[in-house]
Amino acid sequence: MGPGQAERTNMSETSRTGFVAGLEDVVAAETRLSGVDGEAGELTIAGFPVEELAGRASFEETIYLLWHDTLPDAGRLADFREELAVQRELPRATLDLLRAVAGDEVPAMDALRMAAGTVNPGTDEEEALALVARVPTIVAAYWRMLGGEEPVDPDPGLGHAANYLYMLTGEAPGAELTRALETYLNTVSDHGMNASTFAARVIVATRSDFVSAAVGAIGALKGPLHGGAPGPALDVVFEIGESSRAEEYLREKLGRGERLMGFGHRIYRVRDPRADVLAAAAERLYMTDGDRELYELALEVEQTALRLLAEHKPGRNLQTNVEFYTALLLHGLGLPTQLFTPTFAAGRVAGWTAHCFEQRAADRLIRPQSVYVGSKDREWVPLQER
Ligand code: ACO
């Protein structure tokens, strides 16, 4: 039995002590940033239903809203866009680091985690601005380096979302693609006390800095139970290839005890409202100028997966989560699967930094308890007697 298994056995016994596995249903903060109603399937972002905000706001407006709890007027928005533009360009240290790790073909999320750590210490406001501004620049520059190409400098005339696509491809995107990406970034900008946000808040609560919090949050987002699911979710659609194979393929996966990526959620017991927002954006994208066959195949895979999950876990109501349509939308935008999670980070960094401001104001160390379930009163055995 490995150490992990021993721990799990002990943990199940500790539920009598008040320990809640995974902190499920434990309230860890009060926040005005976003509220998730898992029973009703509703997400409120700084007062707006996600459906109201996501398709209308520019990403700059959403960041401003999260940070200041109000929408900017035209003057403030212009100033804020300018402040982001100034910060968007990468310093030499960041570029050097990215070049070094591109040589080793480090995965993009790891490169992002390392490069985010090169943001210089400053005030909370300076760090927040640099983090939000640079995540897309880091991801785009790194992706081009991996492909043996030179990074494309940001264009100060373009907004945040358009710049990301521009820096990836070297071509300014049209309005339709920019709108689709902004809808995505807004949709994932914040989501209650998700794992990466919690990680960020724990770090800032020690009076540490925002850069450290973002680095920790990126590490948490990377995992397949959080932000790492959309790439594998789309891979499944590609591997299935045609709808007649969906049932057999998914049954086999479930039979092997594997989870279907893009389905299920800790909080939502009904369909994730973000899935609907992204599904509508994906439909627009694929129906105007995209691979309709892939879109239709994905819908059929989704329906088959939902039917099989209902059989597999009756009563659990496993529904489509944000990651399934994230995969479809980001693929429609021309992004490779390796960039799905880094692009999630480009959206969620708005929420992380906003939570850092909130936690800074609360100024309360987050330090829960644990229950000791190990052995007691052991006596030291010298090496030669073990
Ligand atoms: N496929 C198959 N079975 C599943 C799935 C799934 N997608 N999701 C949950 N289950 C099963 C579990 O295996 C578990 O079964 P068990 O009781 O026999 O062990 C049961 O349903 C309950 O699942 P939990 O693990 O208790 O649910 P939890 O709240 O911890 O998990 C999670 C939520 C991690 C998202 C889970 O549904 C999952 O792993 N989904 C696939 C990965 C994924 O899509 N991640 C992205 C999440 S969205 C986001 O973070 C932005």
Side-chain angles (χ1 to χ4, degrees):
M1 185 186 280
Q5 283 165 295
E7 232 169 68
R8 272 198 291 279
T9 310
N10 288 335
M11 269 170 28
S12 62
E13 287 166 12
T14 61
S15 50
R16 283 174 279 114
T17 64
F19 162 64
V20 180
L23 300 186
E24 192 163 351
D25 294 330
V26 172
V27 176
E30 287 184 335
T31 180
R32 62 152 185 84
L33 296 169
S34 64
V36 185
D37 183 336
E39 299 296 330
E42 288 170 2
L43 168 61
T44 303
I45 299 178
F48 292 92
V50 65
E51 300 83 357
E52 175 79 9
L53 182 79
R56 294 194 173 92
S58 66
F59 189 54
E60 287 89 333
E61 286 175 305
T62 299
I63 305 163
Y64 192 98
L65 172 68
L66 285 167
W67 286 2
H68 302 285
D69 199 25
T70 183
L71 286 172
D73 60 20
R76 288 202 183 94
L77 183 59
D79 290 347
F80 188 51
R81 282 172 61 110
E82 177 60 30
E83 287 167 25
L84 284 169
V86 169
Q87 287 298 326
R88 198 165 279 130
E89 211 159 304
L90 298 181
R92 172 151 300 282
T94 313
L95 285 167
D96 287 349
L97 179 131
L98 291 175
R99 268 187 229 289
V101 294
D104 293 335
E105 296 187 4
V106 162
M109 265 313 261
D110 295 299
L112 173 61
R113 190 194 65 236
M114 291 185 249
T118 64
V119 169
N120 276 339
T123 63
D124 288 347
E125 289 72 16
E126 286 164 350
E127 290 188 16
L129 202 62
L131 286 163
V132 165
R134 289 186 205 161
V135 169
T137 324
I138 291 169
V139 176
Y142 185 66
W143 187 248
R144 290 184 68 89
M145 287 175 187
L146 276 183
E149 293 174 305
E150 276 304 303
V152 171
D153 288 336
D155 178 344
L158 294 175
H160 196 71
N163 245 309
Y164 182 40
L165 295 174
Y166 170 69
M167 292 184 291
L168 278 167
T169 61
E171 282 173 31
E176 184 78 17
L177 291 188
T178 305
R179 181 63 261 163
L181 181 59
E182 296 211 277
T183 299
Y184 170 73
L185 295 172
N186 293 337
T187 300
V188 301
S189 61
D190 199 48
H191 198 243
M193 200 45 49
N194 62 89
S196 55
T197 297
F198 184 51
R201 288 190 76 130
V202 168
I203 291 169
V204 160
T206 68
R207 296 194 185 162
S208 180
D209 55 285
F210 282 26
V211 176
S212 300
V215 170
I218 291 166
L221 185 73
K222 191 179 118 171
L225 299 193
H226 189 10
L234 191 66
D235 289 341
V236 163
V237 176
F238 283 133
E239 279 164 31
I240 288 174
E242 55 182 88
S243 56
S244 59
R245 284 179 18 86
E247 174 151 357
E248 187 191 353
Y249 179 97
L250 295 173
R251 264 194 203 287
E252 276 177 17
K253 235 179 185 341
L254 290 171
R256 287 194 297 270
E258 289 179 32
R259 292 186 179 204
L260 305 185
M261 295 291 132
F263 298 90
H265 199 273
R266 172 62 63 83
I267 306 291
Y268 292 117
R269 290 295 174 257
V270 293
R271 191 172 156 94
D272 184 334
R274 299 170 299 172
D276 284 334
V277 172
L278 298 185
E283 187 177 5
R284 262 195 308 280
L285 201 58
Y286 280 85
M287 289 306 152
T288 45
D289 187 22
D291 181 349
R292 278 178 186 227
E293 262 180 46
L294 176 69
Y295 182 74
E296 274 151 22
L297 171 65
L299 295 198
E300 287 175 46
V301 169
E302 180 193 15
Q303 288 315 312
T304 309
L306 290 173
R307 182 162 51 78
L308 297 186
L309 285 168
E311 267 178 36
H312 180 68
K313 288 279 157 216
R316 179 64 173 73
N317 203 8
L318 293 169
Q319 293 288 332
T320 315
N321 66 40
V322 66
E323 303 290 36
F324 188 81
Y325 281 99
T326 288
L328 211 52
L329 184 64
L330 297 187
H331 177 76
L333 281 166
L335 297 182
T337 49
Q338 297 95 315
L339 294 193
F340 289 178
T341 309
T343 306
F344 189 169
R348 185 55 60 83
V349 68
W352 293 334
T353 46
H355 276 272
C356 287
F357 284 122
E358 212 175 50
Q359 186 62 46
R360 183 69 89 224
D363 194 24
R364 180 79 180 148
L365 179 71
I366 298 173
R367 204 299 187 191
Q369 299 250 23
S370 53
V371 181
Y372 181 68
V373 295
S375 312
K376 281 189 174 160
D377 301 325
R378 280 179 164 166
E379 285 184 13
W380 185 250
V381 183
L383 188 56
Q384 58 277 18
E385 291 172 28
R386 282 178 230 158

PDB file of all heavy atoms in Angstrom, residues 152-182:
ATOM      1  N   VAL A 152       5.320  37.905 -31.805  1.00  0.00           N
ATOM      2  CA  VAL A 152       4.776  39.113 -32.434  1.00  0.00           C
ATOM      3  C   VAL A 152       4.510  40.124 -31.319  1.00  0.00           C
ATOM      4  O   VAL A 152       3.836  39.790 -30.332  1.00  0.00           O
ATOM      5  CB  VAL A 152       3.447  38.773 -33.161  1.00  0.00           C
ATOM      6  CG1 VAL A 152       2.747  40.038 -33.639  1.00  0.00           C
ATOM      7  CG2 VAL A 152       3.710  37.809 -34.308  1.00  0.00           C
ATOM      8  N   ASP A 153       5.051  41.328 -31.453  1.00  0.00           N
ATOM      9  CA  ASP A 153       4.815  42.355 -30.425  1.00  0.00           C
ATOM     10  C   ASP A 153       3.339  42.722 -30.383  1.00  0.00           C
ATOM     11  O   ASP A 153       2.679  42.763 -31.427  1.00  0.00           O
ATOM     12  CB  ASP A 153       5.628  43.623 -30.737  1.00  0.00           C
ATOM     13  CG  ASP A 153       7.113  43.400 -30.476  1.00  0.00           C
ATOM     14  OD1 ASP A 153       7.437  42.501 -29.671  1.00  0.00           O
ATOM     15  OD2 ASP A 153       7.934  44.115 -31.090  1.00  0.00           O
ATOM     16  N   PRO A 154       2.824  43.043 -29.182  1.00  0.00           N
ATOM     17  CA  PRO A 154       1.420  43.463 -29.111  1.00  0.00           C
ATOM     18  C   PRO A 154       1.192  44.745 -29.911  1.00  0.00           C
ATOM     19  O   PRO A 154       2.110  45.541 -30.086  1.00  0.00           O
ATOM     20  CB  PRO A 154       1.190  43.705 -27.615  1.00  0.00           C
ATOM     21  CG  PRO A 154       2.546  43.751 -26.984  1.00  0.00           C
ATOM     22  CD  PRO A 154       3.474  42.991 -27.874  1.00  0.00           C
ATOM     23  N   ASP A 155      -0.030  44.911 -30.394  1.00  0.00           N
ATOM     24  CA  ASP A 155      -0.395  46.110 -31.156  1.00  0.00           C
ATOM     25  C   ASP A 155      -1.203  47.021 -30.233  1.00  0.00           C
ATOM     26  O   ASP A 155      -2.313  46.661 -29.826  1.00  0.00           O
ATOM     27  CB  ASP A 155      -1.240  45.679 -32.362  1.00  0.00           C
ATOM     28  CG  ASP A 155      -1.708  46.860 -33.194  1.00  0.00           C
ATOM     29  OD1 ASP A 155      -1.641  48.007 -32.686  1.00  0.00           O
ATOM     30  OD2 ASP A 155      -2.149  46.640 -34.330  1.00  0.00           O
ATOM     31  N   PRO A 156      -0.648  48.195 -29.875  1.00  0.00           N
ATOM     32  CA  PRO A 156      -1.353  49.062 -28.919  1.00  0.00           C
ATOM     33  C   PRO A 156      -2.715  49.532 -29.429  1.00  0.00           C
ATOM     34  O   PRO A 156      -3.568  49.953 -28.653  1.00  0.00           O
ATOM     35  CB  PRO A 156      -0.400  50.254 -28.730  1.00  0.00           C
ATOM     36  CG  PRO A 156       0.684  50.112 -29.740  1.00  0.00           C
ATOM     37  CD  PRO A 156       0.627  48.744 -30.344  1.00  0.00           C
ATOM     38  N   GLY A 157      -2.952  49.405 -30.721  1.00  0.00           N
ATOM     39  CA  GLY A 157      -4.250  49.823 -31.280  1.00  0.00           C
ATOM     40  C   GLY A 157      -5.337  48.775 -31.092  1.00  0.00           C
ATOM     41  O   GLY A 157      -6.515  49.056 -31.312  1.00  0.00           O
ATOM     42  N   LEU A 158      -4.950  47.571 -30.694  1.00  0.00           N
ATOM     43  CA  LEU A 158      -5.952  46.503 -30.534  1.00  0.00           C
ATOM     44  C   LEU A 158      -6.293  46.300 -29.062  1.00  0.00           C
ATOM     45  O   LEU A 158      -5.457  46.536 -28.187  1.00  0.00           O
ATOM     46  CB  LEU A 158      -5.407  45.182 -31.094  1.00  0.00           C
ATOM     47  CG  LEU A 158      -5.156  45.104 -32.606  1.00  0.00           C
ATOM     48  CD1 LEU A 158      -4.504  43.756 -32.953  1.00  0.00           C
ATOM     49  CD2 LEU A 158      -6.466  45.257 -33.371  1.00  0.00           C
ATOM     50  N   GLY A 159      -7.499  45.824 -28.824  1.00  0.00           N
ATOM     51  CA  GLY A 159      -7.919  45.524 -27.454  1.00  0.00           C
ATOM     52  C   GLY A 159      -7.248  44.247 -26.951  1.00  0.00           C
ATOM     53  O   GLY A 159      -6.472  43.603 -27.663  1.00  0.00           O
ATOM     54  N   HIS A 160      -7.609  43.891 -25.725  1.00  0.00           N
ATOM     55  CA  HIS A 160      -6.947  42.769 -25.047  1.00  0.00           C
ATOM     56  C   HIS A 160      -7.167  41.442 -25.785  1.00  0.00           C
ATOM     57  O   HIS A 160      -6.223  40.719 -26.084  1.00  0.00           O
ATOM     58  CB  HIS A 160      -7.499  42.688 -23.628  1.00  0.00           C
ATOM     59  CG  HIS A 160      -6.668  41.858 -22.710  1.00  0.00           C
ATOM     60  ND1 HIS A 160      -5.434  42.245 -22.263  1.00  0.00           N
ATOM     61  CD2 HIS A 160      -6.902  40.636 -22.155  1.00  0.00           C
ATOM     62  CE1 HIS A 160      -4.939  41.318 -21.462  1.00  0.00           C
ATOM     63  NE2 HIS A 160      -5.809  40.331 -21.379  1.00  0.00           N
ATOM     64  N   ALA A 161      -8.425  41.139 -26.089  1.00  0.00           N
ATOM     65  CA  ALA A 161      -8.733  39.847 -26.720  1.00  0.00           C
ATOM     66  C   ALA A 161      -8.176  39.798 -28.140  1.00  0.00           C
ATOM     67  O   ALA A 161      -7.559  38.796 -28.539  1.00  0.00           O
ATOM     68  CB  ALA A 161     -10.241  39.624 -26.737  1.00  0.00           C
ATOM     69  N   ALA A 162      -8.378  40.873 -28.896  1.00  0.00           N
ATOM     70  CA  ALA A 162      -7.891  40.897 -30.285  1.00  0.00           C
ATOM     71  C   ALA A 162      -6.370  40.771 -30.301  1.00  0.00           C
ATOM     72  O   ALA A 162      -5.796  40.102 -31.173  1.00  0.00           O
ATOM     73  CB  ALA A 162      -8.334  42.184 -30.969  1.00  0.00           C
ATOM     74  N   ASN A 163      -5.713  41.394 -29.323  1.00  0.00           N
ATOM     75  CA  ASN A 163      -4.254  41.315 -29.254  1.00  0.00           C
ATOM     76  C   ASN A 163      -3.778  39.874 -29.086  1.00  0.00           C
ATOM     77  O   ASN A 163      -2.771  39.482 -29.663  1.00  0.00           O
ATOM     78  CB  ASN A 163      -3.738  42.146 -28.070  1.00  0.00           C
ATOM     79  CG  ASN A 163      -2.893  43.317 -28.551  1.00  0.00           C
ATOM     80  OD1 ASN A 163      -1.969  43.148 -29.337  1.00  0.00           O
ATOM     81  ND2 ASN A 163      -3.240  44.497 -28.103  1.00  0.00           N
ATOM     82  N   TYR A 164      -4.497  39.129 -28.282  1.00  0.00           N
ATOM     83  CA  TYR A 164      -4.092  37.728 -28.051  1.00  0.00           C
ATOM     84  C   TYR A 164      -4.065  36.968 -29.379  1.00  0.00           C
ATOM     85  O   TYR A 164      -3.069  36.315 -29.723  1.00  0.00           O
ATOM     86  CB  TYR A 164      -5.069  37.087 -27.057  1.00  0.00           C
ATOM     87  CG  TYR A 164      -4.763  35.649 -26.684  1.00  0.00           C
ATOM     88  CD1 TYR A 164      -3.468  35.207 -26.472  1.00  0.00           C
ATOM     89  CD2 TYR A 164      -5.807  34.731 -26.528  1.00  0.00           C
ATOM     90  CE1 TYR A 164      -3.205  33.885 -26.112  1.00  0.00           C
ATOM     91  CE2 TYR A 164      -5.556  33.417 -26.163  1.00  0.00           C
ATOM     92  CZ  TYR A 164      -4.260  32.989 -25.965  1.00  0.00           C
ATOM     93  OH  TYR A 164      -4.010  31.684 -25.607  1.00  0.00           O
ATOM     94  N   LEU A 165      -5.154  37.087 -30.136  1.00  0.00           N
ATOM     95  CA  LEU A 165      -5.206  36.369 -31.409  1.00  0.00           C
ATOM     96  C   LEU A 165      -4.166  36.926 -32.379  1.00  0.00           C
ATOM     97  O   LEU A 165      -3.532  36.178 -33.130  1.00  0.00           O
ATOM     98  CB  LEU A 165      -6.624  36.467 -32.002  1.00  0.00           C
ATOM     99  CG  LEU A 165      -7.718  35.780 -31.170  1.00  0.00           C
ATOM    100  CD1 LEU A 165      -9.096  36.038 -31.748  1.00  0.00           C
ATOM    101  CD2 LEU A 165      -7.469  34.269 -31.053  1.00  0.00           C
ATOM    102  N   TYR A 166      -3.983  38.237 -32.331  1.00  0.00           N
ATOM    103  CA  TYR A 166      -2.988  38.867 -33.207  1.00  0.00           C
ATOM    104  C   TYR A 166      -1.570  38.367 -32.873  1.00  0.00           C
ATOM    105  O   TYR A 166      -0.789  38.021 -33.756  1.00  0.00           O
ATOM    106  CB  TYR A 166      -3.082  40.387 -33.044  1.00  0.00           C
ATOM    107  CG  TYR A 166      -1.956  41.136 -33.698  1.00  0.00           C
ATOM    108  CD1 TYR A 166      -1.832  41.185 -35.093  1.00  0.00           C
ATOM    109  CD2 TYR A 166      -0.992  41.804 -32.935  1.00  0.00           C
ATOM    110  CE1 TYR A 166      -0.785  41.867 -35.700  1.00  0.00           C
ATOM    111  CE2 TYR A 166       0.054  42.484 -33.533  1.00  0.00           C
ATOM    112  CZ  TYR A 166       0.152  42.499 -34.919  1.00  0.00           C
ATOM    113  OH  TYR A 166       1.193  43.160 -35.511  1.00  0.00           O
ATOM    114  N   MET A 167      -1.262  38.312 -31.582  1.00  0.00           N
ATOM    115  CA  MET A 167       0.094  37.887 -31.193  1.00  0.00           C
ATOM    116  C   MET A 167       0.334  36.403 -31.485  1.00  0.00           C
ATOM    117  O   MET A 167       1.471  35.972 -31.652  1.00  0.00           O
ATOM    118  CB  MET A 167       0.341  38.175 -29.708  1.00  0.00           C
ATOM    119  CG  MET A 167       0.412  39.674 -29.404  1.00  0.00           C
ATOM    120  SD  MET A 167       0.816  40.003 -27.688  1.00  0.00           S
ATOM    121  CE  MET A 167      -0.652  39.477 -26.816  1.00  0.00           C
ATOM    122  N   LEU A 168      -0.745  35.628 -31.541  1.00  0.00           N
ATOM    123  CA  LEU A 168      -0.592  34.214 -31.883  1.00  0.00           C
ATOM    124  C   LEU A 168      -0.339  34.014 -33.368  1.00  0.00           C
ATOM    125  O   LEU A 168       0.481  33.191 -33.779  1.00  0.00           O
ATOM    126  CB  LEU A 168      -1.859  33.435 -31.498  1.00  0.00           C
ATOM    127  CG  LEU A 168      -1.983  32.999 -30.037  1.00  0.00           C
ATOM    128  CD1 LEU A 168      -3.401  32.528 -29.758  1.00  0.00           C
ATOM    129  CD2 LEU A 168      -0.983  31.893 -29.715  1.00  0.00           C
ATOM    130  N   THR A 169      -1.073  34.788 -34.190  1.00  0.00           N
ATOM    131  CA  THR A 169      -1.059  34.501 -35.636  1.00  0.00           C
ATOM    132  C   THR A 169      -0.329  35.549 -36.463  1.00  0.00           C
ATOM    133  O   THR A 169       0.007  35.290 -37.611  1.00  0.00           O
ATOM    134  CB  THR A 169      -2.511  34.444 -36.166  1.00  0.00           C
ATOM    135  OG1 THR A 169      -3.106  35.749 -35.944  1.00  0.00           O
ATOM    136  CG2 THR A 169      -3.331  33.388 -35.457  1.00  0.00           C
ATOM    137  N   GLY A 170      -0.165  36.752 -35.893  1.00  0.00           N
ATOM    138  CA  GLY A 170       0.418  37.840 -36.690  1.00  0.00           C
ATOM    139  C   GLY A 170      -0.621  38.549 -37.540  1.00  0.00           C
ATOM    140  O   GLY A 170      -0.291  39.452 -38.301  1.00  0.00           O
ATOM    141  N   GLU A 171      -1.892  38.137 -37.410  1.00  0.00           N
ATOM    142  CA  GLU A 171      -2.953  38.797 -38.189  1.00  0.00           C
ATOM    143  C   GLU A 171      -4.020  39.315 -37.245  1.00  0.00           C
ATOM    144  O   GLU A 171      -4.457  38.595 -36.335  1.00  0.00           O
ATOM    145  CB  GLU A 171      -3.623  37.796 -39.128  1.00  0.00           C
ATOM    146  CG  GLU A 171      -2.811  37.500 -40.363  1.00  0.00           C
ATOM    147  CD  GLU A 171      -3.442  36.384 -41.176  1.00  0.00           C
ATOM    148  OE1 GLU A 171      -4.685  36.256 -41.144  1.00  0.00           O
ATOM    149  OE2 GLU A 171      -2.674  35.626 -41.793  1.00  0.00           O
ATOM    150  N   ALA A 172      -4.457  40.561 -37.488  1.00  0.00           N
ATOM    151  CA  ALA A 172      -5.513  41.127 -36.636  1.00  0.00           C
ATOM    152  C   ALA A 172      -6.817  40.373 -36.912  1.00  0.00           C
ATOM    153  O   ALA A 172      -7.198  40.205 -38.074  1.00  0.00           O
ATOM    154  CB  ALA A 172      -5.679  42.609 -36.930  1.00  0.00           C
ATOM    155  N   PRO A 173      -7.491  39.883 -35.874  1.00  0.00           N
ATOM    156  CA  PRO A 173      -8.711  39.101 -36.097  1.00  0.00           C
ATOM    157  C   PRO A 173      -9.890  40.000 -36.462  1.00  0.00           C
ATOM    158  O   PRO A 173      -9.905  41.184 -36.124  1.00  0.00           O
ATOM    159  CB  PRO A 173      -8.946  38.451 -34.733  1.00  0.00           C
ATOM    160  CG  PRO A 173      -8.338  39.412 -33.755  1.00  0.00           C
ATOM    161  CD  PRO A 173      -7.177  40.054 -34.450  1.00  0.00           C
ATOM    162  N   GLY A 174     -10.887  39.429 -37.120  1.00  0.00           N
ATOM    163  CA  GLY A 174     -12.107  40.164 -37.425  1.00  0.00           C
ATOM    164  C   GLY A 174     -12.974  40.313 -36.168  1.00  0.00           C
ATOM    165  O   GLY A 174     -12.684  39.711 -35.125  1.00  0.00           O
ATOM    166  N   ALA A 175     -14.046  41.090 -36.336  1.00  0.00           N
ATOM    167  CA  ALA A 175     -14.931  41.394 -35.195  1.00  0.00           C
ATOM    168  C   ALA A 175     -15.577  40.127 -34.634  1.00  0.00           C
ATOM    169  O   ALA A 175     -15.741  39.981 -33.418  1.00  0.00           O
ATOM    170  CB  ALA A 175     -15.999  42.390 -35.629  1.00  0.00           C
ATOM    171  N   GLU A 176     -15.934  39.195 -35.523  1.00  0.00           N
ATOM    172  CA  GLU A 176     -16.645  37.984 -35.082  1.00  0.00           C
ATOM    173  C   GLU A 176     -15.766  37.127 -34.146  1.00  0.00           C
ATOM    174  O   GLU A 176     -16.203  36.680 -33.084  1.00  0.00           O
ATOM    175  CB  GLU A 176     -17.018  37.172 -36.333  1.00  0.00           C
ATOM    176  CG  GLU A 176     -17.825  35.940 -36.078  1.00  0.00           C
ATOM    177  CD  GLU A 176     -19.292  36.249 -35.829  1.00  0.00           C
ATOM    178  OE1 GLU A 176     -19.741  37.369 -36.164  1.00  0.00           O
ATOM    179  OE2 GLU A 176     -19.963  35.373 -35.294  1.00  0.00           O
ATOM    180  N   LEU A 177     -14.499  36.945 -34.555  1.00  0.00           N
ATOM    181  CA  LEU A 177     -13.587  36.132 -33.735  1.00  0.00           C
ATOM    182  C   LEU A 177     -13.285  36.836 -32.411  1.00  0.00           C
ATOM    183  O   LEU A 177     -13.239  36.208 -31.342  1.00  0.00           O
ATOM    184  CB  LEU A 177     -12.274  35.876 -34.475  1.00  0.00           C
ATOM    185  CG  LEU A 177     -12.320  34.952 -35.695  1.00  0.00           C
ATOM    186  CD1 LEU A 177     -10.911  34.642 -36.183  1.00  0.00           C
ATOM    187  CD2 LEU A 177     -13.035  33.645 -35.383  1.00  0.00           C
ATOM    188  N   THR A 178     -13.089  38.151 -32.492  1.00  0.00           N
ATOM    189  CA  THR A 178     -12.787  38.904 -31.263  1.00  0.00           C
ATOM    190  C   THR A 178     -13.958  38.802 -30.291  1.00  0.00           C
ATOM    191  O   THR A 178     -13.764  38.567 -29.088  1.00  0.00           O
ATOM    192  CB  THR A 178     -12.506  40.382 -31.604  1.00  0.00           C
ATOM    193  OG1 THR A 178     -11.463  40.417 -32.575  1.00  0.00           O
ATOM    194  CG2 THR A 178     -12.094  41.171 -30.382  1.00  0.00           C
ATOM    195  N   ARG A 179     -15.171  38.940 -30.832  1.00  0.00           N
ATOM    196  CA  ARG A 179     -16.367  38.862 -29.959  1.00  0.00           C
ATOM    197  C   ARG A 179     -16.459  37.477 -29.311  1.00  0.00           C
ATOM    198  O   ARG A 179     -16.765  37.350 -28.129  1.00  0.00           O
ATOM    199  CB  ARG A 179     -17.609  39.169 -30.808  1.00  0.00           C
ATOM    200  CG  ARG A 179     -18.941  39.167 -30.095  1.00  0.00           C
ATOM    201  CD  ARG A 179     -19.044  40.228 -29.025  1.00  0.00           C
ATOM    202  NE  ARG A 179     -18.803  39.685 -27.703  1.00  0.00           N
ATOM    203  CZ  ARG A 179     -18.514  40.421 -26.614  1.00  0.00           C
ATOM    204  NH1 ARG A 179     -18.418  41.722 -26.676  1.00  0.00           N
ATOM    205  NH2 ARG A 179     -18.299  39.865 -25.455  1.00  0.00           N
ATOM    206  N   ALA A 180     -16.186  36.444 -30.092  1.00  0.00           N
ATOM    207  CA  ALA A 180     -16.277  35.079 -29.550  1.00  0.00           C
ATOM    208  C   ALA A 180     -15.259  34.893 -28.424  1.00  0.00           C
ATOM    209  O   ALA A 180     -15.574  34.319 -27.373  1.00  0.00           O
ATOM    210  CB  ALA A 180     -16.037  34.054 -30.655  1.00  0.00           C
ATOM    211  N   LEU A 181     -14.052  35.405 -28.621  1.00  0.00           N
ATOM    212  CA  LEU A 181     -13.032  35.244 -27.573  1.00  0.00           C
ATOM    213  C   LEU A 181     -13.400  36.067 -26.336  1.00  0.00           C
ATOM    214  O   LEU A 181     -13.232  35.609 -25.201  1.00  0.00           O
ATOM    215  CB  LEU A 181     -11.642  35.647 -28.093  1.00  0.00           C
ATOM    216  CG  LEU A 181     -10.509  35.500 -27.072  1.00  0.00           C
ATOM    217  CD1 LEU A 181     -10.377  34.062 -26.563  1.00  0.00           C
ATOM    218  CD2 LEU A 181      -9.162  35.948 -27.661  1.00  0.00           C
ATOM    219  N   GLU A 182     -13.925  37.282 -26.563  1.00  0.00           N
ATOM    220  CA  GLU A 182     -14.309  38.110 -25.399  1.00  0.00           C
ATOM    221  C   GLU A 182     -15.428  37.430 -24.618  1.00  0.00           C
ATOM    222  O   GLU A 182     -15.439  37.448 -23.383  1.00  0.00           O
ATOM    223  CB  GLU A 182     -14.747  39.499 -25.841  1.00  0.00           C
ATOM    224  CG  GLU A 182     -13.600  40.248 -26.482  1.00  0.00           C
ATOM    225  CD  GLU A 182     -13.660  41.743 -26.287  1.00  0.00           C
ATOM    226  OE1 GLU A 182     -14.372  42.395 -27.048  1.00  0.00           O
ATOM    227  OE2 GLU A 182     -12.982  42.253 -25.382  1.00  0.00           O
TER     228      GLU A 182
END
